[in-house]
Amino acid sequence: MEPTLTVHDLTRRFGRRTALEGVSLAFGRGVTGLLGPNGAGKTTLIRVLATTLAPDAGRVAAFGLDPADREQRLAIRRRLGYLPQSPGAYPHFTAFELVEYVAILKEIDDRRARHDEVRRVLAEVDLGDRAHTKVRRLSGGMRQRLALAQALLGDPDLLILDEPTVGLDPEQRMRFRALLSRLGASRTVLLSTHQTEDVTTLCERVVVMRTGGVVFEGTPGELAAQAAGQVWLTTTPPEGTFWRTPDGRYRTLGHRPPAAVPGEPGVEDGYLLLLGGEQVAA
Amino acid sequence: MTLTVFELRRMLRNPLIWAAAVLAIALEGVRAAQWWPDLTVVTLRAVTASTLVAGAVLVAANLAAGRDRRFPETLAALPGRAPSRTRAVLLAAPVVGALAAAVVIVPLVLYGHLRGPAAGSLDVWEALNGVALAALAATVGAALARWTPWPFTPLLVIFAFLALIFVNGLGEYGGWALPWIPLHDPTLGPRPSALHLLYLLLLAVAIGAVALLRHGLRLVPAAVAAVATAIAVPAIAQADYLPKPPPVACRQLDGLSFCPRAGYEPWVGRWAAALRPITSAVPPEALADMPALRQDTFGGLPQVWLTGVTEMSVAGRVATGVAGLEGGPACGKAQTVVALWLTGLVSGLEESAPADWTRPPDPIEKGPGWHEYPLTDSGRSSVSPGRLPGVVYDGADLVNARALLADPGAAVKVRANWAVLTDPATTTEQAAPLLGIAPIGGAKACGEAE
């Protein structure tokens, strides 16, 4: 199947700092997780893909369209849902007004259809009963859901979400995952996150970035497999970084400590080992 | 268009704009209730009050057009682009601003009109200046949001506008190029209100086009800005007061001659009524030598009339003239007591004698034989701190006049002895038996604080 979104040899610099260097990726239908520590270049990549930032070099194509061309960029935006890392909000708008404003800018011109659509996306994020509450009266989690609602407007073919689960309580996070897995069945969803749990439960594919480049691309299972033979459980605290498990044992990554038994590797283990000892220690 | 309607709906619900409108109506309504309705002044004051709305609209339009700054990344990924957002605010905000200004101006003018008899004339173009001013403020607000990132800029601009408008009230510096000139000197002739309206509208168009130019140098907005400016600036540079209207014939009433300005004829009856306690208390021959009361002249009738204050001022002028006082120290004179008594018939004699008799500067020459001492903001005469213009009296004179005022038969006594009482040589002590009062004398030299 033709990928929805491709980037080839993408480079983006901010002054002397290189945020992206030679990144090449392709995204098709389904949910793809984008993992990486702070400063890895995730948000820069997300912004380039969302057409809000032009690359210094390299090519981007979404739906076969080139965002460097003004008309094609608009055509991409018509099929795009985007939740930025700092979505912002207008405190004096009601939830309904804010989403309606975005709906208008998404060119949903028919009033009745627009209102129906606003109500639909508010219900999707469980804010239907808060439609006429001023944004300033919403909690942080509710504002995050509101920002997510605007990204869902118009049933976009491509959904790009930067840290969407920040501020959500466990129930809302579960609800969000259910929504996203449903959406991912028929469209391309790109999810930037720090939560490896989101990746484990949601993503068919995961991309790990570090210092502006891609260091892993594969399934969550493949990422977990990176840690095979490097996850250990001990009964006494080992040297280095470790954490205590609920059964009273100590879990550590890397070299085998004395008297340790192998543990089951997870996505997080693979991710941490991929990023190296620095990140493990962190 | 959908976005414009959305902005229109939001603007229409903006509490800042409507709070400003309510405040403007309340403040000006309360103030207007104390003044005789003069449609010329009422219109000017209504438009001046509506500048509050213009300020609120400027801020509201600025916030609406600057909304991108609080939502930048989300908006950047949407197909609706920044120029269309600016255009929507530029279309919606002036409409709402104009509407809110009309909501202020129309009831205030109607209130003045219905309180009648209203003097002056209603200049519809003048009223529309207020509507256009609010529309202009909206475009300025939007342009500021597009060209300056600082949230305090609108407040600075509003402050600058207010300074231009109110410190420079008669348009001395900048003339008709100013957005609004709140004061009107009737001796200068009618204002070029229609031309100023055209200027404001063209300025609004030009500034709106400048706001759009922030999104890139495009031919249409650049041309619109250039053409609007090219018409507006030369047009307003030539604006001046229009030729004066023909003088109106004087009218005799109650023995006095009233000479109103054009449009102020309805007030002649009210002027006469306000002065009737004096004209009915003095012998008819005393009024024969009174000069005609001309509007806006020194010693005559003011342009505006503040109920309760202006009566005293005008009564003082007439009483001074009727009693034959010529100005300067007049303590202890019978004619001073009579003049004060006459003014007391109109507005009571509750106050103390003024302590400060410093004379104001010379009257301003407004034309051949035409001088002006405009009323202060409170409606008091700036000519003299007392109630008799140019005449210095003291607390003893006031006490004696109050004693006369307390006597119901005083008018008969004054009429019967008019010639003696108004003789400059007659002292209060000499006149006391004629007036039936027990006079007291001044404690200090005439004009010194007691």
Side-chain angles (χ1 to χ4, degrees), chain B residues 132-158:
Chain B
L133 184 64
L136 170 64
T139 60
V140 170
L144 286 174
R146 282 307 184 206
W147 283 96
T148 67
W150 309 291
F152 54 82
T153 317
L155 299 179
L156 286 180
V157 170
I158 289 172

Side-chain angles (χ1 to χ4, degrees), chain A:
Chain A
M1 183 183 284
E2 185 82 6
T4 309
L5 190 59
T6 58
V7 295
H8 180 73
D9 208 14
L10 207 61
T11 297
R12 184 63 163 92
R13 293 186 185 85
F14 294 98
R16 284 187 294 179
R17 190 175 72 81
T18 301
L20 292 176
E21 178 89 65
V23 172
S24 296
L25 289 165
F27 304 94
R29 184 182 296 171
V31 183
T32 301
L34 195 56
L35 279 174
N38 291 332
K42 299 191 303 294
T43 293
T44 303
L45 176 63
I46 289 273
R47 291 184 65 198
V48 170
L49 298 177
T51 74
T52 65
L53 188 69
D56 292 327
R59 288 195 311 276
V60 182
F63 315 110
L65 300 166
D66 180 3
D69 176 80
R70 183 173 166 273
E71 288 307 315
Q72 294 185 50
R73 185 166 63 240
L74 284 179
I76 294 170
R77 289 176 178 174
R78 289 188 181 103
R79 299 172 67 182
L80 169 71
Y82 175 41
L83 169 65
Q85 192 175 35
S86 305
Y90 305 140
H92 299 291
F93 277 51
T94 64
F96 190 95
E97 283 173 330
L98 184 71
V99 180
E100 189 190 10
Y101 182 60
V102 176
I104 291 168
L105 294 172
K106 274 199 168 175
E107 300 174 342
I108 307 175
D109 288 335
D110 180 75
R111 188 165 183 267
R112 183 183 292 252
R114 185 172 66 244
H115 284 194
D116 287 347
E117 179 64 1
V118 171
R119 279 189 281 270
R120 180 188 73 80
V121 297
L122 285 174
E124 289 270 31
V125 298
D126 201 19
L127 282 177
D129 58 341
R130 299 286 186 148
H132 300 292
T133 304
K134 295 270 188 193
V135 171
R136 67 170 183 269
R137 299 196 188 284
L138 297 178
S139 67
M142 287 176 181
R143 288 188 195 191
Q144 185 68 4
R145 278 146 61 196
L146 188 62
L148 178 61
Q150 62 79 23
L152 300 177
L153 280 167
D155 210 9
D157 296 318
L158 171 61
L159 201 51
I160 297 177
L161 311 171
D162 197 355
E163 306 278 4
T165 52
V166 170
L168 298 187
D169 60 36
E171 187 191 340
Q172 288 301 332
R173 192 174 294 157
M174 196 172 72
R175 197 183 165 94
F176 165 77
R177 285 176 186 152
L179 170 66
L180 227 55
S181 59
R182 181 159 51 80
L183 293 171
S186 58
R187 72 206 74 204
T188 302
V189 179
L190 180 58
L191 175 73
S192 166
T193 182
H194 280 295
Q195 309 268 349
T196 50
E197 197 186 340
D198 287 342
V199 174
T200 309
T201 54
L202 267 177
C203 301
E204 293 139 49
R205 194 161 153 261
V206 60
V207 172
V208 180
M209 295 188 70
R210 185 182 177 190
T211 57
V214 173
V215 292
F216 175 83
E217 193 183 350
T219 64
E222 288 167 344
L223 180 56
Q226 299 278 315
Q230 296 189 76
V231 180
W232 306 104
L233 295 167
T234 65
T235 52
T236 55
E239 283 184 14
T241 306
F242 60 86
W243 61 96
R244 199 163 181 270
T245 61
D247 62 5
R249 290 188 294 177
Y250 300 92
R251 185 182 170 96
T252 187
L253 302 178
H255 299 297
R256 181 178 185 168
V261 294
E264 187 68 29
V267 167
E268 190 163 60
D269 301 319
Y271 170 61
L272 289 172
L273 283 166
L274 204 59
L275 296 181
E278 206 177 306
Q279 278 68 35
V280 174

Side-chain angles (χ1 to χ4, degrees), chain B residues 258-438:
Chain B
F258 295 96
C259 305
R261 294 197 147 274
Y264 289 82
E265 298 85 349
W267 276 5
V268 170
R270 298 186 74 168
W271 289 330
L275 294 171
R276 196 153 294 140
I278 295 177
T279 53
S280 60
V282 301
E285 61 272 20
L287 299 171
D289 294 335
M290 271 296 290
L293 292 166
R294 296 181 185 280
Q295 207 175 1
D296 290 331
T297 56
F298 177 42
L301 299 162
Q303 169 79 10
V304 292
W305 195 284
L306 176 60
T307 304
V309 174
T310 317
E311 278 97 333
M312 187 164 82
S313 165
V314 175
R317 291 171 189 177
V318 172
T320 304
V322 167
L325 284 162
E326 290 181 342
C331 304
K333 289 187 176 184
Q335 60 183 159
T336 306
V337 174
V338 168
L340 286 170
W341 167 72
L342 286 171
T343 64
L345 292 172
V346 173
S347 56
L349 278 173
E350 306 304 323
E351 82 280 9
S352 306
D356 178 13
W357 289 101
T358 307
R359 292 295 301 271
D362 290 336
I364 305 156
E365 181 89 26
K366 288 287 184 182
W370 193 259
H371 298 83
E372 188 174 281
Y373 276 102
L375 291 181
T376 63
D377 278 350
S378 62
R380 289 179 182 280
S381 166
S382 63
V383 173
S384 164
R387 52 169 61 208
L388 305 176
V391 176
V392 179
Y393 55 88
D394 60 19
D397 298 313
L398 271 175
V399 169
N400 293 330
R402 276 192 209 109
L404 194 55
L405 199 60
D407 178 3
V412 175
K413 293 171 190 168
V414 169
R415 266 200 303 272
N417 299 288
W418 183 257
V420 177
L421 293 173
T422 55
D423 183 342
T426 307
T427 64
T428 308
E429 209 162 301
Q430 291 164 341
L434 303 175
L435 296 171
I437 59 171

